């Protein structure tokens, strides 16, 4: 786990598009194995999961960005109830007039060249996309990877994890000579007798310890007045469940050099239960905004979760022949959870750069991988640099007791 984590800056959409295109080409190439014989299921390893899921999320993000653009261009349009376009338009309507107009102008400029802005979804005319919406357009478009190969990769990852817990597996080998309790390290793995005794550690917490203003936002006359800062974001547990963290307004105005230290060892940004098996990965994504964001950051988080749920359902449809229904949901959720940082590394950066929204100061993601309950937990620093402002957010992972 890195001690100093600088949030991702904008990653070139051309590079992402190339990754998606490559995945799509692989799909076509692997599928065309013969004119008569039925193609065999392409082989895949556990290591292939991340690359394929990354391509899927990149593709879904293209569609989500299209939805943001059409909603920003026509915020007063009557959008279908419950759609992500309606949710986004509602957020735009709540914005101050000047900020709202900035989004509208930027979106209309984007839509004028949609084919170059939104990946393969750009082939759909803006008027048609607005009429159909994300839910229809995305689900009507095949995934950009070979479904059978993705299913095989998910199963390969699961089989590798199961092998660690079966007789003769790696964990079993570590537990053949278990020392007598209470110093039995194998008891934490739930393999050796006697049964695990109650432990004082009940979970993990991700804490925000301190916020330091190196340089407030704005420059020159634009720096007049203090910054009012809020924290929000997402946490992801080992099962891949993504949970929104509501915005917390820090009760302190920030000027150059202001330091806000939280009482009681920090502000609890997220809390997690202990894993059922090891190793286990936990993630926390922190979004730093100015208070006048008007709730837009929260809406974006909610919309991203809707997009993620839709992606999960679409993957489940196409890998159903390879994976058991019960196992399928678990494996897909875990795979998507591993890429929760996509929301911050790509989408938020795109919004900042495309619409010049000065209430966002980027975001950062920290993750920790536990190999046992005896692991030492540490922390680090997010550095947020945007709009001529620089903030350091100090964080730490601690045990919940």
């Amino acid at each position: 786990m890195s001690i100093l984590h600088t949030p991702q800056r904008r990653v070139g959409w051309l590079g992402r598009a190339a990754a998606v295109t490559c995945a799509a080409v692989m799909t076509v190439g692997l599928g065309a194995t013969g004119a008569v014989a039925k193609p065999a299921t392409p082989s895949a390893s556990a290591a292939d999961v991340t690359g394929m899921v990354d391509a899927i999320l990149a593709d879904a993000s293209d569609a989500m960005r299209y939805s943001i653009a059409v909603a920003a261009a026509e915020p007063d349009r009557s959008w279908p109830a419950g759609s992500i376009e309606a949710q986004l338009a509602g957020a735009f309507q709540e914005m101050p007039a000047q900020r709202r107009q900035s989004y509208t102008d930027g979106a209309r400029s984007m839509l004028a060249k949609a084919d170059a802005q939104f990946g393969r979804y750009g082939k759909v005319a803006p008027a048609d996309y607005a009429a159909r919406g994300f839910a229809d357009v995305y689900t009507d478009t095949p995934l950009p990877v070979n479904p059978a190969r993705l299913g095989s990769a998910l199963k390969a990852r699961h089989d590798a994890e199961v092998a660690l817990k079966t007789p003769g597996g790696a964990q079993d080998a570590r537990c053949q000579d278990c020392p007598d309790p209470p110093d039995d390290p194998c008891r934490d793995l739930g393999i050796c007798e006697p049964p695990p005794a109650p432990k004082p550690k009940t979970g993990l917490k991700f804490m925000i310890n301190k916020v330091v203003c190196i340089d407030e936002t704005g420059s020159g006359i634009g720096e007049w007045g203090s910054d009012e800062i809020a924290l929000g974001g997402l946490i992801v547990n080992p099962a891949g469940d993504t949970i929104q963290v509501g915005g917390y307004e820090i009760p302190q105005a920030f000027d150059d050099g202001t330091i806000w230290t939280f009482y009681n060892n920090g502000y609890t940004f997220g809390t997690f239960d202990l894993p059922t098996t090891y190793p286990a990965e936990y993630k926390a994504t922190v979004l730093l905004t100015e208070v006048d964001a008007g709730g837009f950051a929260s809406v974006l988080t909610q919309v991203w979760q809707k997009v993620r749920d839709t992606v999960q359902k679409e993957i489940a449809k196409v890998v159903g022949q390879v994976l058991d229904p019960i196992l399928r949901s678990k494996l897909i959720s875990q795979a998507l959870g591993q890429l929760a940082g996509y929301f911050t590394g790509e989408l938020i950066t795109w919004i900042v750069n495309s619409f010049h929204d000065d209430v966002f100061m980027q975001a950062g993601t920290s993750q920790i991988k536990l190999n046992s309950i005896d692991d030492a937990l540490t922390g680090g620093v997010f550095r947020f640099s945007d709009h001529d402002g620089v903030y350091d957010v100090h964080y730490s992972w601690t045990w919940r007791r």
Side-chain angles (χ1 to χ4, degrees):
M1 180 171 56
S2 129
I3 298 301
L4 176 62
H5 178 105
T6 302
Q8 289 185 339
R9 303 301 300 169
R10 181 174 182 179
V11 179
W13 290 104
L14 181 60
R16 272 200 326 81
V20 175
T21 302
C22 178
V25 170
M26 290 173 64
T27 301
V28 175
L30 289 169
T33 57
V36 178
K38 183 179 179 180
T41 300
S43 62
S45 67
D48 295 324
V49 172
T50 298
M52 287 188 281
V53 173
D54 190 21
I56 292 172
L57 289 182
D59 179 70
S61 181
D62 284 335
M64 180 177 173
R65 291 186 297 114
Y66 208 161
S67 292
I68 292 173
V70 296
E74 298 182 88
D76 296 321
R77 176 173 175 160
S78 180
W79 298 97
S83 68
I84 69 172
E85 289 80 15
Q87 199 166 359
L88 289 163
F92 290 129
Q93 291 172 0
E94 295 297 320
M95 288 182 178
Q98 184 176 354
R99 185 179 176 211
R100 172 179 168 178
Q101 191 60 48
S102 176
Y103 270 92
T104 297
D105 292 343
R108 289 174 178 172
S109 176
M110 243 179 255
L111 295 177
K113 45 185 177 181
D115 58 340
Q117 296 288 327
F118 308 112
R120 56 182 180 160
Y121 300 97
K123 296 178 181 178
V124 180
D128 291 339
Y129 188 96
R132 296 173 61 190
F134 174 88
D136 183 55
V137 176
Y138 181 76
T139 55
D140 194 43
T141 306
L143 292 177
V145 301
N146 185 296
R149 187 167 183 268
L150 175 59
S152 296
L154 289 169
K155 189 174 185 302
R157 172 184 282 183
H158 172 69
D159 291 345
E161 293 175 350
V162 170
L164 292 175
K165 296 185 283 292
T166 55
Q171 286 187 351
D172 186 66
R174 292 173 53 191
C175 296
Q176 294 302 316
D177 299 317
C178 295
D180 293 332
D183 299 321
D184 179 0
C186 295
R187 292 173 64 190
D188 293 340
L189 300 174
I191 297 175
C192 300
E193 296 294 334
K199 301 177 180 68
K201 297 173 182 176
T202 62
L204 288 81
K205 295 190 293 183
F206 182 78
M207 311 292 291
I208 303 296
N209 308 111
K210 181 169 60 175
V211 178
V212 180
C213 176
I214 309 298
D215 183 11
E216 67 176 293
T217 59
S219 61
I221 192 171
E223 200 173 88
W224 182 83
S226 302
D227 289 341
E228 296 180 348
I229 299 298
L231 299 166
L234 304 166
I235 59 173
V236 183
N237 62 26
D241 300 321
T242 301
I243 303 163
Q244 180 181 357
V245 177
Y248 171 76
E249 181 179 343
I250 299 175
Q252 166 72 53
F254 286 85
D255 296 299
D256 293 356
T258 300
I259 299 176
W260 175 263
T261 302
F262 290 94
Y263 295 108
N264 299 322
N265 299 318
Y267 164 66
T268 302
F269 184 85
T271 182
F272 308 83
D273 291 332
L274 289 174
T276 55
T277 59
Y278 294 93
E281 291 188 0
Y282 296 83
K283 292 183 178 65
T285 290
V286 179
L287 184 64
L288 188 68
T289 69
E290 288 199 60
V291 171
D292 63 354
F296 187 45
S298 177
V299 170
L300 283 175
T301 304
Q302 294 168 26
V303 168
W304 174 250
Q305 287 182 276
K306 282 187 176 181
V307 169
R308 181 187 177 281
D309 291 343
T310 301
V311 171
Q312 182 165 341
K313 291 176 182 177
E314 290 304 301
I315 295 176
K317 287 180 185 178
V318 299
V319 300
Q321 295 181 346
V322 179
L323 298 174
D324 173 84
I326 297 177
L327 182 63
R328 179 176 62 208
S329 177
K330 173 186 174 183
L331 297 183
I332 296 172
S333 183
Q334 289 177 335
L336 291 174
Q338 290 185 340
L339 293 167
Y342 199 96
F343 172 76
T344 60
E346 292 277 353
L347 186 62
I348 297 300
T349 302
W350 173 78
I351 289 173
V352 171
N353 293 335
S354 299
F355 300 103
H356 310 291
D357 192 341
D358 61 4
V359 301
F360 288 100
M361 291 198 64
Q362 301 299 324
T365 296
S366 175
Q367 69 179 58
I368 184 172
K369 183 175 183 179
L370 288 184
N371 292 303
S372 80
I373 199 170
D374 296 316
D375 284 3
L377 305 181
T378 57
V381 181
F382 293 127
R383 170 151 287 188
F384 299 91
S385 302
D386 252 319
H387 315 303
D388 296 311
V390 180
Y391 280 79
D392 280 351
V393 175
H394 296 247
Y395 65 86
S396 60
W397 292 89
T398 64
W399 293 108
R400 188 183 71 198
R401 297 178 184 270

